[in-house]
Amino acid sequence: MILDGPKKPLRPADVPQPVPGPGEVLVRVRACGVCRTDLHVVDGDLAEPKLPLIPGHQVVGTVEAAGPARPGGGEGAPRRGGFAVGQRIGIPWLGGSCGGCDYCREGRENLCGHARYTGYQADGGFAEFCAADERFCFPLPEGYPDLQAAPLLCAGLIGYRALRMAGDAQRIGFYGFGASAHILAQAAKYQGRKIYAFTRPGDAAGQEFARRLGADWAGSSDEPPPEPLQAAIIFAPAGELVPAALRAVARGGTVVCAGIHMSDIPAFPYSILWGERVVRSVANLTRQDGQEFLALAPRAGVRSVVQPYPLEKANEALADLRAGRLTGAAVLVVDPRAAQ
Ligand SMILES: [Zn+2]
Ligand SMILES: [Zn+2]
């Protein structure tokens, strides 16, 4: 499925199979998760996609072939070891980084100014085949069927980075209970934390879903929590949630904005930030985040709740995500034999 330009529906097309370059693998895609970031790319909120573009950055598939060896073994980034043909792997949002800048050398490749993002600057997984730099792909834990594994790759692991940024807070609020929060709630419960889920006002079904996945309390985003929070993570792209979350966290608490795009944050009184409250964003992922989260998820018994769509219904999946009609995570089934 191809994006020709912002705000245009994706278009089905027959394109040549990608040829893996040096150090790349060619992956036969089984399933690809649909992320809010894909929606921001399609809607033009993220303004620098390559065009035309195949979106999708939560790619689950098997290695079909490997490209030639990377000359010189690449700079900086350690080689992850080649994947075997036929092995199931995941391709995440971070498709490559320069390996040489200060950020890359300090283990903060998520901030590299020359990074390449899957389904944004490189073709992604809304397709039968996808080529990717093998150093940035992950082996996937067994025990996760293909469809369930897909949302772990962004909703799960960028959410995990956001959870890390919440420090050791025991009482955490999640604003927006979609693909990311429903996975992270399970991981956070495993870590012994209390979860407070905030949904759109009046979304009783969403609140029920949150309780089912372990939330200790669920309510509307315009309600105060029953007790002050120690941290909050904002998954929804709505700037007005920042002052709402600041009002809900106690002194010293952190509000983490987990999305790549957010509407403008309205002005708010300094008093709700005062008391060493912190507002911060989380950007992208590092490979270490991926390794840690993909090890934690099976230990914590994380299960993802997915809503499958055939590949050619990608526009429908995006529309449902835009309208908030999803429960859990949307996943495109690319290979009908993909394990559900
Ligand atoms: Zn770099
Ligand atoms: Zn994503």
Side-chain angles (χ1 to χ4, degrees), residues 159-177 180-181 184-199 210 214-219 224-235 245 248-250 253-258:
Y160 170 73
R161 184 170 179 86
L163 186 63
R164 274 212 298 119
M165 298 306 166
D168 54 9
Q170 290 302 296
R171 298 189 301 276
I172 303 190
F174 285 178
Y175 285 80
F177 205 88
S180 209
L184 266 293
Q186 299 171 63
K189 288 306 291 179
Y190 172 76
Q191 294 172 333
R193 310 187 202 224
K194 275 182 103 171
I195 298 299
Y196 300 75
F198 297 83
T199 68
D216 297 275
W217 174 91
E227 44 200 335
L229 306 175
Q230 292 162 319
I233 303 177
I234 301 179
F235 294 105
V249 300
T254 300
V255 173
V256 184
C257 303

Side-chain angles (χ1 to χ4, degrees), residues 47-120:
E48 295 168 348
K50 95 179 212 358
L51 289 173
L53 171 75
I54 300 173
H57 57 270
Q58 305 183 88
V59 191
V60 173
T62 50
V63 175
E64 182 82 0
R70 178 178 301 276
E75 308 168 65
R79 196 178 161 86
R80 296 172 59 80
F83 295 111
V85 169
Q87 185 175 351
R88 187 175 75 144
I89 65 171
I91 307 173
W93 170 244
L94 182 66
S97 65
C98 82
C101 72
D102 288 350
Y103 291 120
C104 284
R105 283 200 301 263
E106 290 163 2
R108 296 195 289 166
E109 59 198 9
N110 60 311
L111 301 179
C112 174
H114 304 282
R116 234 165 62 105
Y117 298 104
T118 310
Y120 190 39

Side-chain angles (χ1 to χ4, degrees), residues 118-273:
T118 310
Y120 190 39
Q121 280 114 19
D123 281 332
F126 291 7
E128 289 163 289
F129 290 94
C130 180
D133 186 329
E134 64 171 355
R135 297 171 302 172
F136 290 82
C137 298
F138 299 110
L140 292 172
E142 287 173 29
Y144 283 94
D146 302 320
L147 268 66
Q148 281 206 24
L152 301 180
L153 285 162
C154 184
L157 62 83
I158 295 186
Y160 170 73
R161 184 170 179 86
L163 186 63
R164 274 212 298 119
M165 298 306 166
D168 54 9
Q170 290 302 296
R171 298 189 301 276
I172 303 190
F174 285 178
Y175 285 80
F177 205 88
S180 209
H182 95 278
I183 291 173
L184 266 293
Q186 299 171 63
K189 288 306 291 179
Y190 172 76
Q191 294 172 333
R193 310 187 202 224
K194 275 182 103 171
I195 298 299
Y196 300 75
F198 297 83
T199 68
R200 296 180 202 212
D203 181 5
Q207 291 163 17
E208 181 48 40
F209 177 60
R211 280 188 212 100
R212 213 168 72 224
L213 287 166
D216 297 275
W217 174 91
S220 299
S221 56
D222 54 0
E223 282 180 61
E227 44 200 335
L229 306 175
Q230 292 162 319
I233 303 177
I234 301 179
F235 294 105
E240 68 268 20
L241 293 175
V242 173
L246 275 171
R247 287 193 167 91
V249 300
R251 288 189 300 281
T254 300
V255 173
V256 184
C257 303
I260 192 168
H261 173 83
M262 189 180 248
S263 57
D264 286 352
I265 300 168
F268 55 82
Y270 178 61
S271 59
I272 64 173
L273 178 62

